[in-house]
């Protein structure tokens, strides 16, 4: 992709007031790549690779996200500060996710104790056989 | 605008964290319940959103280059993509609601009996639950047994027969009282044989993991919040179409088109992650 996108669009010089004009070819290639990756990820889903499946799917999703961000959202040509804002937000989500998972993993015995009494009473009345209470 | 997008990422981020924690606690629930989602419909929706993201990026370009008619066409195509996404989502939701694949305790009520129960009881009263007839040799339901995969079907008060089924295992009971006798065993056998799909009644599935309702809770929360964003997107893109008709946007003033475009791409980005996390797991 990089060889096609680094060529500057000639219109950018004609309209100095506008921001970066993303070339049509770049947009088409990005859209095409997104479609191909979507078909690919669905196809791989039908092959059972065990644990690896979800990681492959997430890697493909990340590539698609990077393509959308770089070209559709023209981050590639923006000031780096915009990218910093987005990456920082994602990084904090990942940080929160990591700490939540570490915490829950260490204390998960405390999460499977069943429902509080009021909740269980409600379930007993309204969804008698709901197997919600653990153990 | 980018700070707003950052808050959007954090907004969805909380739900992604909830997803990760729930999935870590109950991996078998996610692997099982994902079969109830239609991968093809989800994939089509992904392509629809990608196409609308593409037309939105083209719209920004046409605004920058003073091309009014192509701008209007691209915005209308984006709008069509957004509406198409919601239409497909509507069919997915209604199908699941019809199959009782919903969030909350209603997940554990059978589809047909639920309507009958609602029709025949006062709203204040708890739903009448079928009492098992001990003369049929069915074991009484104990709390211990209830925690296993038992199917209890609340029925209208006049219908009080139960059958013991091979579906339910040694301690469980399956009530198929609503089914005519000739069809009962066939129904049960079919339910046993089938891999869960969107058409299998989940309560009849002996492999239904405990706490499967959690998958649908997080599914409706995340796709629902995303759907609300798509509806907001429909609103702001319509506003852009109106502005484009009036000829407001040109190479000196295209910021609204650009910023709505950024918002729309973030909506696309969220779906790019939601799709594999819900539809593409085993």
């Amino acid at each position: 992709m990089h060889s096609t996108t680094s060529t500057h669009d000639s219109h950018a010089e004609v309209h100095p007031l506008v921001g970066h004009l993303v070339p049509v070819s770049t947009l088409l290639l990005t859209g095409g790549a997104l479609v191909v990756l979507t078909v690919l990820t669905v196809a791989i889903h039908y092959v059972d690779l065990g644990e690896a499946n979800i990681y492959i799917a997430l890697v493909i999703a990340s590539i698609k996200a990077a393509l959308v961000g770089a070209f559709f959202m023209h981050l590639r040509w923006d000031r780096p500060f915009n990218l910093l804002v987005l990456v920082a937000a994602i990084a904090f989500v990942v940080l929160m996710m990591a700490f939540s998972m570490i915490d829950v993993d260490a204390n998960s015995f405390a999460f499977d104790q069943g429902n509080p009494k009021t909740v269980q009473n409600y379930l007993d009345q309204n969804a008698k056989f709901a197997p919600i209470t653990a153990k | 605008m980018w700070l707003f997008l950052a808050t959007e990422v954090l907004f969805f981020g909380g739900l992604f964290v909830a997803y990760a924690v729930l999935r870590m606690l109950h991996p078998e629930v996610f692997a099982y319940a994902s079969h109830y989602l239609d991968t093809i419909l989800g994939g089509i929706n992904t392509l629809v959103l990608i196409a609308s993201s593409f037309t939105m990026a083209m719209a920004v370009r046409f605004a920058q280059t003073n091309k009014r008619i192509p701008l209007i066409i691209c915005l209308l195509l984006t709008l069509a993509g957004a509406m198409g996404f919601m239409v497909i989502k509507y069919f997915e939701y209604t199908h699941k609601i019809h199959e009782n694949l919903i969030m909350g305790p209603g997940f554990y009520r059978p589809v047909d009996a639920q309507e009958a129960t609602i029709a025949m009881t006062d709203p204040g009263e708890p739903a009448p639950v079928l009492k098992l007839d001990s003369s049929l040799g069915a074991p009484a339901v104990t709390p211990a047994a209830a925690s296993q995969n038992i199917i209890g079907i609340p029925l209208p008060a006049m219908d009080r027969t139960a059958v013991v089924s091979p579906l339910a295992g040694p301690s469980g009971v399956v009530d198929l009282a609503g089914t005519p006798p000739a069809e009962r065993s066939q129904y049960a056998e079919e339910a046993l044989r089938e891999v869960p799909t969107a058409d299998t009644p989940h309560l009849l599935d002996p492999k239904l993991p405990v706490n499967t309702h959690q998958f649908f809770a997080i599914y409706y929360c995340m796709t629902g919040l995303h759907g609300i964003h798509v509806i907001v997107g429909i609103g702001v893109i319509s506003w852009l179409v109106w502005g484009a008709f009036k000829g407001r946007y040109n190479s000196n003033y295209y910021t609204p088109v650009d910023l709505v475009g950024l918002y729309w791409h973030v909506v696309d980005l969220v779906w790019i992650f939601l799709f594999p996390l819900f539809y593409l797991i085993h």
Side-chain angles (χ1 to χ4, degrees):
Chain A
M1 300 240 50
H2 276 273
S3 57
T4 53
T5 52
S6 53
T7 56
H8 236 270
D9 196 288
S10 56
H11 292 283
E13 279 81 53
V14 184
H15 302 283
L17 278 170
V18 303
H20 185 83
L21 263 179
V22 185
V24 176
S25 59
T26 305
L27 294 179
L28 275 172
L29 273 175
T30 308
L34 289 171
V35 170
V36 169
L37 286 171
T38 303
V39 173
L40 183 71
T41 191
V42 172
I44 290 176
H45 151 258
Y46 288 107
V47 186
D48 192 358
L49 300 170
E51 275 283 290
N53 272 111
I54 186 65
Y55 296 111
I56 294 171
L58 283 179
V59 166
I60 292 178
S62 304
I63 296 170
K64 287 163 74 179
L67 286 174
V68 171
F71 302 117
F72 282 176
M73 303 173 80
H74 48 73
L75 272 171
R76 190 181 181 285
W77 301 277
D78 278 6
R79 276 169 296 174
F81 182 74
N82 292 349
L83 181 63
L84 179 74
V85 169
L86 187 65
V87 169
I90 294 169
F92 277 113
V93 169
V94 171
L95 192 70
M96 180 159 76
M97 192 179 284
F99 275 96
S100 302
M101 289 176 80
I102 292 166
D103 182 46
V104 172
D105 192 35
N107 299 292
S108 59
F109 61 88
F111 288 85
D112 273 338
Q113 296 297 305
N115 295 306
K117 214 174 166 68
T118 47
V119 175
Q120 194 57 50
N121 284 344
Y122 176 80
L123 289 172
D124 288 345
Q125 299 235 315
N126 292 288
K128 187 122 188 165
F129 295 96
I132 290 170
T133 302
K135 286 154 207 142
Chain B
M1 185 66 195
W2 279 97
L3 288 177
F4 167 70
L5 296 184
T7 66
E8 288 283 87
V9 169
L10 296 173
F11 190 12
F12 280 100
L15 287 172
F16 276 107
V17 171
Y19 172 93
V21 167
L22 285 177
R23 182 155 176 193
M24 189 177 68
L25 287 173
H26 303 288
E28 75 285 354
V29 163
F30 283 75
Y32 170 90
S34 174
H35 290 282
Y36 283 113
L37 303 185
D38 193 324
T39 307
I40 300 302
L41 279 185
I44 291 170
N45 251 352
T46 311
L47 294 177
V48 166
L49 268 196
I50 286 172
S52 74
S53 248
F54 170 74
T55 54
M56 191 70 224
M58 289 298 286
V60 174
R61 197 194 147 85
F62 286 130
Q64 286 170 318
T65 51
N66 292 320
K67 294 188 173 117
R68 184 166 155 267
I69 300 300
L71 167 64
I72 292 170
I73 290 170
C74 271
L75 287 174
L76 286 176
L77 285 175
T78 311
L79 201 58
M83 287 172 174
F85 180 89
M86 287 316 287
V87 167
I88 294 174
K89 206 82 214 136
Y90 168 80
F91 283 120
E92 282 192 78
Y93 272 10
T94 45
H95 182 67
K96 279 185 197 67
I97 290 166
H98 180 71
E99 296 289 324
N100 229 18
L101 296 166
I102 53 180
M103 54 198 291
F107 183 80
Y108 294 101
R109 283 196 213 162
V111 181
D112 299 330
Q114 190 177 33
E115 282 170 11
T117 308
I118 291 168
M120 298 190 68
T121 46
D122 292 335
E125 252 179 81
V129 172
L130 180 75
K131 297 285 185 294
L132 294 168
D133 191 345
S134 55
S135 66
L136 285 171
V141 178
T142 62
S147 71
Q148 293 176 29
N149 187 17
I150 286 182
I151 294 125
I153 300 193
L155 282 170
M158 62 272 289
D159 192 353
R160 287 186 179 278
T161 51
V163 289
V164 181
S165 152
L167 259 179
S171 60
V173 175
V174 173
D175 176 23
L176 297 171
T179 321
E183 290 172 24
R184 277 179 201 161
S185 59
Q186 193 198 345
Y187 193 36
E189 275 166 25
E190 273 174 17
L192 261 180
R193 239 186 296 116
E194 274 174 22
V195 178
T197 65
D199 292 318
T200 319
H202 58 284
L203 286 184
L204 283 178
D205 195 312
K207 287 179 300 219
L208 183 78
V210 174
N211 288 334
T212 303
H213 64 285
Q214 286 184 354
F215 175 87
F216 290 96
I218 193 73
Y219 166 81
Y220 283 112
C221 282
M222 296 187 84
T223 57
L225 183 63
H226 180 261
I228 290 169
H229 278 78
V230 174
I231 291 169
V232 171
I234 289 173
V236 285
I237 294 167
S238 308
W239 171 68
L240 285 187
V241 172
W242 177 247
F245 266 115
K246 292 252 168 183
R248 266 182 218 149
Y249 308 120
N250 52 55
S251 59
N252 289 318
Y253 179 67
Y254 63 93
T255 310
V257 187
D258 197 22
L259 298 191
V260 169
L262 289 177
Y263 169 82
W264 190 244
H265 297 314
V266 163
V267 173
D268 186 29
L269 275 186
V270 171
W271 184 258
I272 283 176
F273 282 99
L274 287 184
F275 174 59
L277 287 177
F278 281 108
Y279 292 79
L280 300 183
I281 48 183
H282 285 281

